Amino acid sequence: MSESNRPKTNNTRTLDVAPNLGEMVKPAELIEVKGASRLTLADRRLFNVLLRHAFGPDLASENRRFEIAVADLRETHESNDRLVQSIEALMTTVVTIQRPDGSTDRVQLLGWNNLSDPKRKRGNLKYSIPPELALLLKDSTVFAKLELEVLRAFTSKYALALYEAVARRVRLKHVFTERFALDDFRELLGVEPGKLETFGNLNQYAIKPALLEVNALSDFTVTVVPEKTGRRVTGVLIGWGAKDIEGRKAAYAELQRPRVGRKARITGTVEDMLPPEVIE
């Protein structure tokens, strides 16, 4: 993204921005990273919770440790075993983050933590943001505001990634589209190398499901138009726009409904009922 297309924030530091009730502020540097494609939806949700809890000026302090109740992580994981898996995934994932001047850094997403320490304070998790990442976020001035209820509602990691990417752009003035090379768009969505290699599969299993959820649940609309070189899709054009008041009301109403049956409601189809032996 060119510097001229970045949201203007009057040079306010991202870590000094106070999120409104029901939302989190996420630095742009952590939204479109390279190397995070193997992270699952649960991993990404956990990272957002840890980031939200640590968010503020202290997040830029090297070697700062944070503490959160494990119960507060239940929105991302139902068992400690899966929580451990996600913690380890975040600790071992090395991503490439681009600075505003175009230079890049390679950092881990999560540093020290005491989840496996039998002597830790029962029911609490202490953790740290890697110092190199903390320094990188110190001067961030570009960010996205993300609705917590929307983040919790997604069932696809592709929808979560698309929502975050558009949320950081939707505040731009006089900019409503952006082109991506196909490989860059695959990276943005978090598609693993070697998976969904044809555009047909990418469209069916990643793009369409992501658009379906983002357009139904968020307060903006998104389009993804393939662009060809000859007969081959080599890029996409993403477009976005804010919903009118009726559209926002419809999205809010859907968020209040049970997740069961959502796909049928937002597509206008009927979901097949599972036989009793499958449900059991």
Side-chain angles (χ1 to χ4, degrees):
M1 189 177 193
S2 67
E3 188 66 27
S4 61
N5 280 350
R6 291 178 176 273
K8 300 298 184 277
T9 59
N10 297 319
N11 293 323
T12 300
R13 286 201 324 157
T14 297
L15 299 184
D16 291 330
V17 175
N20 296 320
L21 184 66
E23 72 179 16
M24 70 172 286
V25 172
K26 189 169 186 177
E29 289 84 354
L30 294 178
I31 292 177
E32 289 168 47
V33 298
K34 293 186 177 182
S37 60
R38 287 181 173 82
L39 294 179
T40 66
L41 176 62
D43 300 339
R44 291 164 185 260
R45 281 178 169 165
L46 175 63
F47 183 65
N48 278 348
V49 172
L50 296 176
L51 182 67
R52 184 178 86 230
H53 183 74
F55 186 82
D58 284 347
L59 184 58
S61 301
E62 292 185 73
N63 302 317
R64 174 74 163 82
R65 294 183 174 183
F66 304 93
E67 186 169 0
I68 187 172
V70 173
D72 291 341
L73 305 177
R74 290 301 179 224
E75 65 182 72
T76 65
H77 293 76
E78 295 179 355
S79 72
N80 280 351
D81 289 344
R82 292 190 177 184
L83 180 58
V84 170
Q85 291 175 9
S86 284
I87 289 285
E88 291 179 349
L90 294 175
M91 292 179 67
T92 57
T93 296
V94 177
V95 299
T96 300
I97 295 177
Q98 184 170 340
R99 294 175 180 268
D101 63 5
S103 63
T104 59
D105 292 84
R106 297 184 74 233
V107 297
Q108 293 170 268
L109 290 175
L110 187 65
W112 171 92
N113 65 83
N114 70 343
L115 185 62
S116 62
D117 182 1
K119 295 183 179 180
R120 69 185 172 91
K121 183 178 177 182
R122 185 175 178 84
N124 281 28
L125 168 70
K126 288 185 177 180
Y127 64 98
S128 67
I129 302 298
E132 297 81 7
L133 180 55
L135 285 176
L136 187 63
L137 299 178
K138 182 177 181 181
D139 297 320
S140 171
T141 59
V142 185
F143 56 87
K145 288 189 173 184
L146 309 174
E147 296 292 331
L148 300 181
E149 202 166 11
V150 176
L151 291 174
R152 296 187 189 105
F154 290 133
T155 62
S156 158
K157 77 172 187 178
Y158 307 127
L160 179 69
L162 183 63
Y163 171 71
E164 290 187 354
V166 175
R168 65 160 288 196
R169 291 167 167 80
V170 76
R171 295 180 296 114
L172 292 169
K173 294 182 179 179
H174 313 301
V175 179
F176 307 101
T177 62
E178 186 172 344
R179 283 184 167 82
F180 288 83
L182 191 57
D183 286 345
D184 291 338
F185 186 59
R186 288 171 56 87
E187 188 82 56
L188 180 150
L189 290 180
V191 179
E192 291 189 54
K195 293 189 176 181
L196 308 182
E197 292 186 303
T198 68
F199 183 78
N201 284 341
L202 179 70
N203 191 41
Q204 181 177 354
Y205 297 109
I207 298 176
K208 285 185 176 179
L211 287 173
L212 191 66
E213 290 197 315
V214 172
N215 285 328
L217 303 173
S218 74
D219 59 2
F220 48 75
T221 59
V222 187
T223 58
V224 176
V225 179
E227 297 191 318
K228 294 184 177 181
T229 300
R231 299 177 62 182
R232 182 167 168 264
V233 176
T234 55
V236 298
L237 177 68
I238 299 182
W240 58 84
K243 290 180 179 177
D244 59 21
I245 189 169
E246 292 303 317
R248 294 196 298 273
K249 285 182 178 179
Y252 178 79
E254 182 56 46
L255 286 169
Q256 310 313 305
R257 298 187 181 107
R259 184 176 295 176
V260 176
R262 175 165 291 158
K263 183 177 179 180
R265 291 193 299 271
I266 62 183
T267 59
T269 60
V270 177
E271 291 184 345
D272 294 332
M273 292 296 292
L274 293 175
E277 62 271 19
V278 175
I279 297 175
E280 293 173 356

